[in-house]
Amino acid sequence: TTAMRKAALMLLAMLMTLLMLSERTESVRVCASNLSSGNDQAYHEAGINQLRGLNVTLAAVQEFNYGNNSPAALRSFVDQAFGPSYDFYRSDNTTYQIPNGVVFDRNRFRLMDNGTWHSPVIFNRGFPYTRLHPLLADGSDDKSSPSLFIVSLHLSTQSSKQTVEAQRVVELIQEYYGVNSLTQVTDYLIVAGDFNANSGQSQVVRIFVEAGLLDEPVPVDQLGDSTTNQPRSKRHDFVLQNQLLLATHQPTVFRPASLTTYPDGLVLDTRIFTPISAIFPAQQGDTGVDGMQHLAVVKNYAI
């Protein structure tokens, strides 16, 4: 009957809608975060404010220190800066004075693997990596998506040591995947953090680019400045990705979108970011506090 056909069509439409929702892609916001401040190379209110306001999905965190660094203290930091649905991996070598780490939303990713590689030239930090798999809205694996591999870096301030570290990171990723080139990796791949480079043309960046990672697009602040140190003179911090992930890149958007859309990603300088209410609870002076040496770098991807 006509009524039965209409009911069947309505049911089909509902099922198709549910299917589309289950297969939807959402923007994943990735951040390089060396936002420690003060004189103890640890996170305080200014850095926490910025991370919370940026609403990050996945972060490469440098100088991952908070309070007494007990499990309870680190859990408190992640809850404040990201939220209770976030898990983290922090280099667990107790000799590291300024460890790196990765923070991710477990509602968006399932943890597959993590670990830390040691720097060949610096002994107070390592190269933590995390392999994740994207989840659908119902919490199941997105079988249509590649997994995602991220390495959190804080490289030496000396260019000669940076290049040794960068080359070793490339070698370690290739060894992990059993490939001869990063272009052969079939996962989404991110290398992010504080490279202590001077610019995108620095040798340390060229090593990663020549190996198959891409330094594009280049995030900027509201004035078009891509530098990431507090005095705004050098580009220290990066979010590099492979071509597979670059194909999913999206603008970084806050509310109101008419004022706060960044097609290439954002370098957050709260001193000039307007309206500051768009990234509450961040405050105008957060990036200018004593000991805040770096700015956050953000990119978005449709994963």
Side-chain angles (χ1 to χ4, degrees), residues 3-249:
M4 291 177 64
R5 284 198 299 270
K6 287 184 177 179
L9 288 172
M10 289 179 64
L11 179 59
L12 179 61
M14 291 174 62
L15 290 172
M16 291 179 66
T17 299
L18 289 171
L19 180 63
M20 285 188 293
L21 285 173
S22 69
E23 294 180 345
R24 76 192 190 286
T25 56
E26 297 181 9
S27 192
V28 166
R29 181 163 293 166
V30 179
C31 178
S33 168
N34 189 353
L35 298 179
S36 64
S37 60
N39 59 9
D40 56 355
Q41 292 182 301
Y43 278 76
H44 298 282
E45 184 179 9
I48 291 171
N49 285 346
Q50 293 175 69
L51 288 169
R52 192 68 186 217
L54 287 169
N55 193 26
V56 175
T57 317
L58 175 63
V61 179
Q62 292 78 57
E63 303 191 5
F64 199 153
N65 291 315
Y66 183 75
N68 63 4
N69 285 329
S70 66
L74 296 173
R75 182 67 255 175
S76 174
F77 162 68
V78 172
D79 286 349
Q80 292 177 72
F82 300 93
S85 70
Y86 286 73
D87 283 340
F88 66 95
Y89 173 69
R90 176 180 182 264
S91 291
D92 49 13
N93 187 318
T94 57
T95 66
Y96 289 161
Q97 179 188 1
I98 46 174
N100 301 316
V102 175
V103 179
F104 65 95
D105 187 350
R106 63 175 174 269
N107 290 329
R108 299 301 308 278
F109 293 104
R110 174 176 61 82
L111 176 64
M112 300 175 69
D113 188 25
N114 56 31
T116 297
W117 296 316
H118 301 291
S119 168
V121 292
I122 298 180
F123 305 105
N124 65 354
R125 68 197 84 164
F127 309 141
Y129 62 86
T130 299
R131 192 180 184 206
L132 306 163
H133 195 81
L135 300 176
L136 297 173
D138 64 3
S140 63
D141 281 2
D142 183 351
K143 294 181 173 57
S144 67
S145 173
S147 297
L148 184 149
F149 189 89
I150 180 170
V151 186
S152 178
L153 295 185
H154 187 179
L155 302 182
S156 170
T157 57
Q158 300 177 39
S159 59
S160 60
K161 292 184 178 180
Q162 290 171 5
T163 56
V164 173
E165 289 182 296
Q167 189 58 55
R168 184 58 181 149
V169 170
V170 169
E171 293 168 356
L172 288 165
I173 298 173
Q174 290 174 172
E175 290 172 11
Y176 183 92
Y177 281 97
V179 297
N180 297 317
S181 169
L182 298 188
T183 60
Q184 297 173 297
V185 175
T186 57
D187 281 353
Y188 294 137
L189 180 58
I190 298 172
V191 174
D194 174 9
F195 295 3
N196 275 309
N198 290 324
S199 73
Q201 301 305 312
S202 297
Q203 179 63 23
V204 62
V205 181
R206 291 204 301 269
I207 287 171
F208 287 122
V209 171
E210 290 169 3
L213 295 175
L214 300 169
D215 180 29
E216 56 182 81
V218 176
V220 295
D221 66 17
Q222 284 186 318
L223 301 180
D225 188 346
S226 65
T227 57
T228 69
N229 63 336
Q230 191 193 56
R232 307 309 306 275
S233 59
K234 296 180 180 180
R235 190 168 167 229
H236 282 333
D237 307 89
F238 293 78
V239 176
L240 307 182
Q241 74 282 297
N242 60 355
Q243 180 62 51
L244 185 67
L245 185 56
L246 178 61
T248 75
H249 181 266

Side-chain angles (χ1 to χ4, degrees), residues 267-294:
V267 173
L268 176 61
D269 189 338
T270 61
R271 296 168 294 188
I272 62 172
F273 187 96
T274 56
I276 195 66
S277 59
I279 54 171
F280 178 83
Q283 303 296 306
Q284 207 81 61
D286 281 344
T287 56
V289 300
D290 289 345
M292 180 74 64
Q293 301 180 57
H294 298 260

